[in-house]
Amino acid sequence: MSLQMQLVAITLDCPDPLALVAFYQQATGLELHPKSDADFAGLNGEHGLLIGFQRVDDYRAPSWPDQIVPQQLHICFKVDEDLATAEARLLELGAGTPDHQPHGDKARVLTDPVGHPFCIVTR
């Protein structure tokens, strides 16, 4: 049986979330999330997908295509199982668990096999 994960949010670092959300809102026509503020702003996408923009102090823009400043993003998935069961199955597949877990029991932060962080949350 395969693990069922649904993509629910994509969050981008930036220096000014309200400015960046305004750009993407104009570009996409998506609705501004009602809890958007200067630290985190979001757009409500199709099928419940949130595109988020979070403030990062001393933000450095990616220097793509070179990797002097790599591009990064954070992906969040809803899981059908409880978090412990889903985490165990993901660890079996090669995920890692960072020591820092900022969301308490609401979500788990994991890393993929090459170190990119992502969260799992329950439905």
Side-chain angles (χ1 to χ4, degrees), residues 74-103:
H74 184 87
I75 302 173
C76 193
F77 297 94
K78 284 186 179 179
V79 294
D80 291 326
E81 301 90 349
D82 64 85
L83 290 178
T85 301
E87 178 180 18
R89 294 189 65 207
L90 289 162
L91 292 173
E92 289 174 4
L93 296 174
T97 304
D99 290 335
H100 181 61
Q101 293 292 321
H103 305 296

